[in-house]
Amino acid sequence: MFDILQISWWLIEATLLGFLCNRKFFDNNTDRILFAPITGFACVLIIGSMLWMQAISTHFMSFMFVAVLVFAAICLTRNWPRQTIDAPLWLAGGAIVVILHGSLIPFSEKLFQGFPLDRFFYLGASILFEKETMSYFEDALKRLAFNGDKRAYFLHPLLPLAVSEIKARPAAEIAFVLFSWATPRDLYRLANAWEVFIRVLQFSGLFALFWKGLGPRFLSGFLALATVFGYWFQYTKDFNAWGSSTCLALAIALTAFVIVILNKGKVDSKDRYFAYLLALAAIISYPEFGPPVCLGLFVLICANGILRNGILLSKWLWLELVGLAITVFAVHPFIIAFMQRQFGLAPAMIGGEAAMARGIYRLFATVEERQEFIRQIVVQPLHLITDPVAFSDMVIGTFLFPYVSYFGSPATFFGALFIVGLLIWSSVARTRSYLMTRPYLKLWGALGLVGIYVLLFIVIRNHSLTFDFEQLSSVIAGVLIMGLLAWSAVKTTRPNLRILLVLVAFYAFFFVFLLVLNKVGGSYRSFPFWGGFASASFLILLAASESKMLRGLAVTVACAHLIFGGSIFYVTNKGGMETYPSFYPNATGVRHFEIDTVRDKYNFDYSDIIPQLKLCHEVFLDLPRNVSKELRAPRFHAVNLMFFLENNDIRYSLAMPYRNASPLMAGEFHPGFRKEEVNADCVVEEEVRNGRISYKFVQTKWY
């Protein structure tokens, strides 16, 4: 319930601020409400980051934020859009569904939702952003450069994590602090809610995209919900990667706004400035892919006459672009250096080979075969697109169908052929309607189609020992999906929706381009965006088709997505993914990949030592110092306790190595502290309790 109330409060804040700003960008209240959550969030990202880089404290910004919210509430009260009922209701209703789904997952599952160390980084940065200003971090770096004393640099356990995020993507963390102004002492507890809130923003952007692209209210809300609960928007790479998830929501909203412009048939000056606002927020939220998002927008502009004439021919264009570039560097001075560092990580597969083989490539192969396939991609990246079977597998995963692997390759093969048959039948019925008026021809046609399927089934069954279902089913399913997308884009009665195909093609090209450059890590980071846009565009184009068959297929796919999301919810509430080994490999993104069956080893409940901890002046966490992959669990085990100490202003030091020290200081892991080096009156050790590793409290000094 705490999460539900908190996320709802954040949504109200974003909507109030966004509606206030949208009065300058939109002429009608429907669009003002529709884009309000995204606009408000984008403004907080940009203004919060800019002020913090100028050494303004988040405490001061929080007071400013509250004042603006009060002003926005007064304006909204006096100018409530009474004639606009459907947009707020659908937006609120869909948001509630997303909030309930994300908030009712058990705590132990939330703690390890995605890559735990990433959450450690984001939260560590957020807590220090809430406490300190930019000057604090600059002084720490100067001390390190002046005397080389790494231990002085590491006096605060969160400092190396926070410095990393400052030079990476601080926008989402600063927005987290500002939106949480009412509960600043519960930042760790609120991290679960923040991840769900970002998914609510993704729903908001998708809802705007479907609403402006399709029109029908129920269908738009249904498809937007289905996409959020589908693979790419729920358990994509690094589910808790705040910057990536935020940028995806902004990019989707930016695409929706492009369709708004095309529906109007003209580009106003205020339209350009609103696009700049969302583009700037996307760039600073996720520098790895914010610039390619804007490059994709430029491709859309060049591909459409209305956008090309209204934007590229503007006499103020170059001045506006220069102003946008200057603003980017004012908000994020480290963006170039960070982008160079990220792309320099290639060709290593960021996230691990096992996680990359989670059901995107070689869907019908074993886990070991998928891992080997990923290793081949690292060595020969173009193998992914030159091998037709591999490419078809990738298409299936990209367009949000990884769960077909649960059906098995034979079921997928016959399912794809069945859909092809129905599409042929629908096409004949539409183009040769006179044949359908003759019952005997209709009957003979149906019998002939069934006969072909039966004959094919008999032939395959008789040769089942030598027949390779995996490759043939992959190729047929991949070709079917690509063919449906292209056919729907060509035949749609909404020509402005064809730009979606241009955008999907651009992301595919960008993915391949990075592979050609052997930047496999960067290519991997672009894949979720390709998948997100491809899956959303696929549903829009199918639903906008004149064919009842294609519209029905869109609804069927959406139902499959919702069922998939529901199954994930069921599994996580029944003991976590590890309790379903056959379900786990293909169902999720990067989850727990460093620690197998972590719940069988560790007890995350430390409530019995909380009273003693609150009496401590300083705590030493004497946890294992081993940094091997097999024994990293204590690092994640300590996160819960560390942030409790942080939220209660209790000083602490770690025995564990600082994993993030290496990329910051170009050296080895900082080895952590020894008990003799820390003047602590309390020590927390590990002990085995009831067969599971838990905490043991030891008081070393008495007052």
Side-chain angles (χ1 to χ4, degrees):
M1 182 56 68
F2 176 80
D3 283 3
I4 294 172
L5 294 176
Q6 188 67 45
I7 300 168
S8 301
W9 171 238
W10 288 340
L11 187 60
I12 292 172
E13 290 182 273
T15 302
L16 281 174
L17 183 60
F19 184 79
L20 178 66
C21 297
N22 283 348
R23 294 173 62 191
K24 302 296 183 182
F25 293 119
F26 296 96
D27 297 324
N28 62 85
N29 284 323
T30 298
D31 289 343
R32 289 172 181 170
I33 290 291
L34 202 58
F35 286 89
I38 290 289
T39 304
F41 188 65
C43 290
V44 174
L45 289 173
I46 296 170
I47 297 174
S49 298
M50 180 178 292
L51 293 180
W52 197 87
M53 289 295 179
Q54 301 302 318
I56 304 297
S57 72
T58 53
H59 290 290
F60 179 75
M61 284 191 278
S62 295
F63 287 119
M64 292 175 52
F65 187 41
V66 173
V68 173
L69 286 176
V70 171
F71 179 72
I74 295 174
C75 292
L76 186 60
T77 303
R78 297 176 60 182
N79 300 280
W80 172 251
R82 294 178 179 84
Q83 73 277 23
T84 304
I85 299 298
D86 50 356
L89 288 179
W90 279 106
L91 195 58
I96 289 173
V97 175
V98 178
I99 291 171
L100 289 175
H101 180 275
S103 299
L104 299 180
I105 295 176
F107 173 78
S108 59
E109 183 68 18
K110 290 178 181 177
L111 178 63
F112 283 85
Q113 195 80 277
F115 187 20
L117 201 57
D118 273 1
R119 171 173 291 191
F120 193 12
F121 294 171
Y122 298 134
L123 278 170
S126 299
I127 289 174
L128 281 184
F129 289 172
E130 191 267 337
K131 290 183 175 183
E132 309 291 348
T133 67
M134 181 65 174
S135 302
Y136 173 82
F137 299 91
E138 292 176 339
D139 291 343
L141 290 172
K142 289 177 181 177
R143 290 197 304 271
L144 177 64
F146 179 73
N147 57 26
D149 186 358
K150 296 182 180 181
R151 293 195 175 277
Y153 177 75
F154 284 97
L155 282 178
H156 198 297
L158 299 179
L159 185 57
L161 308 181
V163 171
S164 174
E165 286 303 303
I166 288 172
K167 293 190 174 182
R169 28 182 134 79
E173 291 95 314
I174 293 173
F176 175 48
V177 173
L178 296 180
F179 272 103
S180 306
W181 59 272
T183 48
R185 295 284 78 188
D186 287 318
L187 291 182
Y188 177 62
R189 185 182 180 190
L190 294 173
N192 302 316
W194 185 247
E195 292 167 4
V196 180
F197 173 67
I198 294 176
R199 204 185 323 159
V200 173
L201 292 175
Q202 291 177 348
F203 165 77
S204 177
L206 279 167
F207 181 59
L209 180 62
F210 282 105
W211 184 299
K212 305 311 293 188
L214 291 176
R217 296 346 183 191
F218 171 77
L219 186 60
S220 296
F222 176 71
L223 294 180
L225 278 175
T227 308
V228 171
F229 289 129
Y231 186 72
W232 281 114
F233 282 83
Q234 184 180 5
Y235 286 96
T236 185
K237 169 197 168 287
D238 287 358
F239 171 85
N240 63 335
W242 292 0
S244 174
S245 299
T246 296
C247 184
L248 186 56
L250 293 166
I252 289 288
L254 187 57
T255 307
F257 182 65
V258 170
I259 293 181
V260 170
I261 295 175
L262 295 179
N263 288 341
K264 289 193 307 181
K266 62 176 182 178
V267 182
D268 300 325
S269 59
K270 58 185 178 182
D271 293 335
R272 297 200 308 275
Y273 292 118
F274 186 71
Y276 293 153
L277 173 73
L278 296 184
L280 176 60
I283 291 172
I284 66 169
S285 65
Y286 194 52
E288 294 99 313
F289 209 71
V293 165
C294 296
L295 185 59
L297 178 63
F298 176 74
V299 171
L300 286 187
I301 293 172
C302 295
N304 183 272
I306 295 175
L307 298 174
R308 192 167 55 246
N309 295 330
I311 297 178
L312 295 184
L313 299 181
S314 170
K315 63 180 180 180
W316 301 108
L317 176 64
W318 291 108
L319 185 61
E320 292 168 353
L321 292 179
V322 171
L324 177 64
I326 293 174
T327 308
V328 168
F329 288 106
V331 177
H332 197 326
F334 310 109
I335 188 169
I336 297 296
F338 177 71
M339 290 173 62
Q340 290 175 341
R341 193 193 86 174
Q342 290 305 105
F343 283 105
L345 293 175
M349 273 295 192
I350 303 171
E353 294 175 352
M356 272 300 296
R358 65 187 183 271
I360 300 175
Y361 313 109
R362 297 296 188 192
L363 293 179
F364 302 112
T366 65
V367 174
E368 291 74 18
E369 289 172 333
R370 288 199 297 268
Q371 291 175 352
E372 180 58 32
F373 181 62
I374 296 301
R375 294 188 187 100
Q376 293 176 6
I377 294 175
V378 175
V379 178
Q380 296 178 327
L382 288 180
H383 178 72
L384 180 64
I385 56 177
T386 56
D387 180 356
V389 181
F391 183 78
S392 297
D393 276 338
M394 185 177 64
V395 167
I396 297 173
T398 303
F399 284 83
L400 224 141
F401 292 102
Y403 43 80
V404 299
S405 58
Y406 301 122
F407 304 142
S409 54
T412 301
F413 174 75
F414 284 104
L417 288 183
F418 179 71
I419 294 175
V420 171
L422 290 180
L423 290 174
I424 294 174
W425 184 269
S426 175
S427 177
V428 171
R430 213 172 53 251
T431 58
R432 301 288 189 270
S433 57
Y434 63 89
L435 295 177
M436 297 295 109
T437 60
R438 301 175 183 179
Y440 68 92
L441 290 177
K442 192 174 182 179
L443 176 61
W444 278 110
L447 291 175
L449 196 59
V450 172
I452 292 174
Y453 283 123
V454 171
L455 180 63
L456 185 63
F457 177 77
I458 293 174
V459 172
I460 292 177
R461 183 180 181 184
N462 292 335
H463 297 80
S464 58
L465 295 178
T466 59
F467 195 82
D468 188 356
F469 274 110
E470 295 180 0
Q471 292 195 8
L472 188 58
S473 60
S474 291
V475 172
I476 290 179
V479 171
L480 173 63
I481 294 172
M482 289 294 289
L484 283 174
L485 182 70
W487 177 262
S488 301
V490 172
K491 291 296 184 179
T492 182
T493 57
R494 302 284 301 277
N496 55 349
L497 294 184
R498 293 174 189 163
I499 64 169
L500 296 175
L501 189 61
V502 175
L503 194 59
V504 173
F506 165 75
Y507 285 124
F509 171 80
F510 189 77
F511 177 83
V512 173
F513 177 71
L514 291 181
L515 284 181
V516 172
L517 296 180
N518 203 31
K519 302 296 183 181
V520 183
S523 184
Y524 169 45
R525 288 180 179 273
S526 72
F527 202 66
F529 287 80
W530 180 12
F533 276 92
S535 59
S537 302
F538 185 65
L539 285 179
I540 289 178
L541 292 172
L542 287 181
S545 173
E546 294 179 346
S547 169
K548 292 182 180 180
M549 175 62 199
L550 293 181
R551 293 200 300 270
L553 185 60
V555 174
T556 302
V557 172
C559 289
H561 294 342
L562 289 176
I563 293 172
F564 180 69
S567 68
I568 295 289
F569 181 79
Y570 172 81
V571 169
T572 53
N573 279 275
K574 291 294 182 179
M577 288 296 168
E578 293 83 351
T579 59
Y580 293 83
S582 62
F583 190 84
Y584 169 66
N586 295 333
T588 64
V590 180
R591 298 169 53 85
H592 323 179
F593 68 83
E594 291 190 355
I595 314 165
D596 296 326
T597 61
V598 67
R599 293 179 185 83
D600 295 336
K601 300 177 183 177
Y602 286 88
N603 175 20
F604 296 99
D605 184 13
Y606 60 97
S607 56
D608 57 333
I609 65 173
I610 286 179
Q612 296 96 321
L613 286 173
K614 289 186 176 180
L615 300 176
C616 299
H617 295 81
E618 185 168 357
V619 177
F620 178 67
L621 302 181
D622 193 13
L623 303 180
R625 303 166 64 90
N626 194 301
V627 297
S628 67
K629 181 176 181 180
E630 292 74 18
L631 297 177
R632 283 181 185 171
R635 189 190 335 275
F636 306 142
H637 179 40
V639 170
N640 197 10
L641 178 58
M642 288 177 62
F643 284 113
F644 166 79
L645 297 171
E646 195 69 50
N647 285 343
N648 287 275
D649 289 323
I650 301 173
R651 287 182 58 85
Y652 62 94
S653 299
L654 290 173
M656 294 186 301
Y658 292 92
R659 184 177 186 271
N660 212 37
S662 182
L664 280 175
M665 301 160 63
E668 299 298 326
F669 286 104
H670 182 268
F673 294 95
R674 295 190 301 273
K675 189 183 300 184
E676 299 77 24
E677 297 175 308
V678 178
N679 186 28
D681 57 341
C682 301
V683 175
V684 174
E685 301 173 344
E686 286 189 352
E687 68 172 351
V688 178
R689 185 188 308 166
N690 298 325
R692 304 182 75 191
I693 299 175
S694 187
Y695 290 122
K696 178 182 178 182
F697 177 85
V698 180
Q699 188 156 7
T700 59
K701 296 180 181 180
W702 300 90
Y703 297 95

